[in-house]
Amino acid sequence: MEIKYKVKNCWEAAGDSDKSEVTPFCEGYKNFMDNAKTEREAASLAVMLAEQKGFRDIDSVTALKKGDKIYIKNRGKSVMLAVMGEDSLKGFNIVAAHIDAPRIDLKQNPLYEDLELAFFKTHYYGGIKKYQWLAIPLSIHGVIVLGDGTKVNVIVGEDDSDPVFCITDLLPHLAQEQMGKKMSEAVTGEGLNLLVGSIPGKDEKDKVKGAVLELLHDKYGICEEDFISAELEIVPSSKARDLGFDRSMIAAYGQDDRVCAYTALAGILETENPSKTAICMLADKEEIGSMGNTGMKSRFFEDSVAKIISLEKAAKGEAYNDLMIRQAFASSFCLSADVGAAVDPNYKDVSELSNAPRINGGVMITKYTGSKGKANSSDASAELVGRIRKLFNDNKIIWQIGELGKVDQGGGGTVAQDLANLNIETVDCGVPLLSMHSPMEISGKMDVYMAYKAYKAFYSSI
Ligand code: MN
Ligand code: MN
């Protein structure tokens, strides 16, 4: 081992086989991103890919034994996958990522008309810089539950022949007052109104709104009240693209955290007969605090693990009891797979360069997140970081350390604390991004590929 620690650049340090595999791997990732722009789409695509690899719905099995592959769906918005090891009571190897991303949701009663233009009222989801969402093409994805209970799926704005939508911005010529405001106040939450139509219909009043409703009724069979039981999400309509003359990076919406979700998924889909039971958890609602029954704090995770253990016990003719899940968690390890803030040469002063992750520096191990003195961080132990570091070194996985900005610069958290609170050894491990939470986040292809290799090696570790 070198005496000095130095972050490597993967494009220099990686072996030839890694260099030849990174591009095809990232093509699969980009394809996933174009077809998984919401948590619902990511969850159903994960299930589809899992079924192709022989994973079965847990509801269709009556017992589980080593090598079995199952998935457990949670309300179409989150999903757990598992490949059975010898004995789950010896602990699990868990990779937990989230499949929701910052976006803009429609309000429950969204449609209105102003000066003969029709708009949707919105409420943003997660931490966005509002000005970034103006004057870019947007699409609408989601579900509408009709009055009779029928569910209609909606995707508009992705196909080249689809229309797109937009939140307008003020022209610079008339923006003197706006430009003098603080960035956090120049665009308001109530100002994020989505432009959706302009042709007047036959109604006496609100003619354009009426005409838009007519169109929606013809296409989806919906009336205005149906919006109340809908979840419609506004996301950038752009596709994932290579970035740079050298195509070394990926520009895409939603890489926080679908880059870790995809790599965690790709890893478990290739896991065969692990010694310990491998679990890939794809959770919802991380961007708004992991709450609710599809978030990481939900009992879904524990209930699903209990189900796995009880089916494993059933195969041996033994009964499940509550101590078993506690014993299993106490022996488990988890990589909380989430993105980090790559140092940005244009904004270096928010990072401390000896500890900040670099684009293409490899998969990132983050001992603690939090803010103001590590608050709300689970702060992984030296023993755990040592174990993971050794695993990665042994498997020729290029890794780097990461922290979320300078001390007292700001901060944030991940699902690591939720897993750690269950008495599971947990450390953050993911991909550094530039422009995180923007409509076009940037990752380094080598980091994406190293994350996949890292999660794959971890699932099968002893
Ligand atoms: Mn995240
Ligand atoms: Mn985030």
Side-chain angles (χ1 to χ4, degrees):
M1 193 181 295
E2 302 261 342
I3 290 274
K4 283 183 179 162
Y5 168 71
K6 188 173 171 294
V7 179
K8 297 185 182 79
N9 184 316
C10 293
W11 292 102
E12 291 171 339
D16 288 344
S17 73
D18 287 341
K19 282 182 186 162
S20 67
E21 281 167 40
V22 62
T23 302
F25 182 82
C26 287
E27 287 303 303
Y29 169 52
K30 280 155 55 192
N31 188 44
F32 178 87
M33 294 303 279
D34 291 342
N35 291 288
K37 287 204 172 176
T38 67
E39 67 287 358
R40 286 178 190 267
E41 290 168 13
S44 45
L45 189 49
V47 166
M48 196 188 90
L49 294 170
E51 282 179 344
Q52 288 170 2
K53 291 280 188 174
F55 284 69
R56 289 176 297 159
D57 191 326
I58 198 164
D59 291 338
S60 71
V61 304
T62 52
L64 288 171
K65 58 174 192 324
K66 185 171 163 68
D68 285 351
K69 300 172 178 183
I70 52 106
Y71 61 81
I72 308 174
K73 293 190 279 190
N74 184 7
R75 300 168 170 89
K77 294 181 180 188
S78 87
V79 59
M80 178 193 282
L81 302 98
V83 181
M84 300 303 296
E86 265 149 41
D87 180 1
S88 294
L89 298 196
K90 291 186 178 154
F92 301 96
N93 286 331
I94 303 158
V95 182
H98 67 93
I99 51 177
D100 63 317
R103 60 176 191 255
I104 299 176
D105 288 340
L106 292 200
K107 285 196 186 192
Q108 294 315 102
N109 184 20
L111 185 59
Y112 74 100
E113 173 175 344
D114 196 0
L115 300 176
E116 300 197 323
L117 293 175
F119 294 91
F120 280 150
K121 294 296 298 178
T122 69
H123 194 145
Y124 64 97
Y125 173 99
I128 63 167
K129 291 166 94 173
K130 299 181 189 83
Y131 69 86
Q132 294 178 333
W133 294 73
L134 311 181
I136 58 169
L138 298 166
S139 57
I140 300 175
H141 293 232
V143 299
I144 305 170
V145 177
L146 307 183
D148 65 1
T150 322
K151 189 159 79 179
V152 181
N153 286 302
V154 176
I155 299 182
V156 192
E158 294 297 334
D159 194 274
D160 283 347
S161 63
D162 280 355
V164 293
F165 307 93
C166 187
I167 299 167
T168 58
D169 197 1
L170 191 55
L171 64 168
H173 317 62
L174 301 180
Q176 194 180 324
E177 194 188 321
Q178 184 198 39
M179 299 291 273
K181 289 182 182 170
K182 280 167 65 181
M183 278 170 101
S184 59
E185 291 163 7
V187 180
T188 64
E190 287 294 348
L192 296 177
N193 300 314
L194 189 74
L195 183 58
V196 298
S198 66
I199 301 180
K202 297 189 193 74
D203 298 357
E204 287 263 304
K205 221 177 128 244
D206 287 344
K207 291 177 181 177
V208 179
K209 171 179 169 172
V212 168
L213 278 173
E214 290 287 339
L215 279 173
L216 291 173
H217 184 79
D218 290 348
K219 176 139 198 215
Y220 300 107
I222 68 167
C223 51
E224 194 171 12
E225 193 180 293
D226 293 327
F227 281 118
I228 290 164
S229 48
E231 284 182 324
L232 294 167
E233 304 178 6
I234 300 164
V235 297
S237 78
S238 52
K239 292 198 169 10
R241 303 283 295 264
D242 286 347
L243 191 142
F245 288 117
D246 55 12
R247 297 181 175 267
S248 60
M249 295 166 277
I250 295 169
Y253 161 70
Q255 299 201 70
D256 175 7
D257 183 34
R258 291 180 205 125
V259 64
C260 297
Y262 178 76
T263 46
L265 175 67
I268 202 162
L269 294 186
E270 291 172 9
T271 298
E272 302 282 346
N273 287 305
S275 161
K276 295 170 87 167
T277 298
I279 289 180
C280 170
M281 179 66 206
L282 304 178
D284 179 30
K285 296 280 184 278
E286 194 276 342
E287 296 295 354
I288 56 169
S290 295
M291 309 304 284
N293 58 13
T294 55
M296 197 64 231
K297 288 181 169 51
S298 153
R299 287 298 288 267
F300 169 78
F301 181 74
E302 286 168 81
D303 292 353
S304 300
V305 169
K307 207 169 188 175
I308 287 171
I309 299 173
S310 66
L311 287 169
E312 195 179 12
K313 290 291 157 191
K316 295 172 182 162
E318 295 168 24
Y320 171 81
N321 73 58
D322 186 53
L323 275 178
M324 292 173 175
I325 188 169
R326 295 158 197 257
Q327 185 187 333
F329 281 160
S331 309
S332 293
F333 292 90
C334 174
L335 296 183
S336 163
D338 207 342
V339 298
V343 58
D344 185 333
N346 287 318
Y347 302 97
K348 291 201 248 272
D349 50 336
V350 301
S351 301
E352 185 271 290
L353 299 183
S354 309
N355 287 277
R358 312 283 171 102
I359 288 289
N360 289 317
V363 65
M364 175 189 68
I365 303 172
T366 305
K367 186 175 181 294
Y368 48 84
T369 57
S371 57
K372 298 193 172 169
K374 300 188 179 181
N376 293 313
S377 166
S378 55
D379 201 357
S381 69
E383 290 85 347
L384 176 60
V385 175
R387 182 189 174 95
I388 298 303
R389 173 184 154 213
K390 180 172 186 310
L391 174 74
F392 292 175
N393 284 340
D394 289 349
N395 286 278
K396 301 210 164 19
I397 291 154
I398 303 174
W399 57 273
Q400 58 182 327
I401 51 165
E403 69 170 1
L404 190 50
K406 272 183 180 167
V407 177
D408 288 341
Q409 186 70 45
T414 64
V415 299
Q417 51 181 318
D418 304 322
L419 279 304
N421 288 348
L422 293 172
N423 196 20
I424 296 170
E425 284 286 339
T426 307
V427 63
D428 281 297
C429 177
V431 174
L433 298 182
L434 293 171
S435 302
M436 195 206 291
H437 280 208
S438 80
M440 193 182 92
E441 300 174 313
I442 296 163
S443 60
K445 283 187 176 176
M446 272 293 181
D447 301 331
V448 177
Y449 180 69
M450 289 297 163
Y452 151 72
K453 277 188 58 159
Y455 301 147
K456 191 175 160 184
F458 173 73
Y459 285 127
S460 291
S461 63
I462 299 162

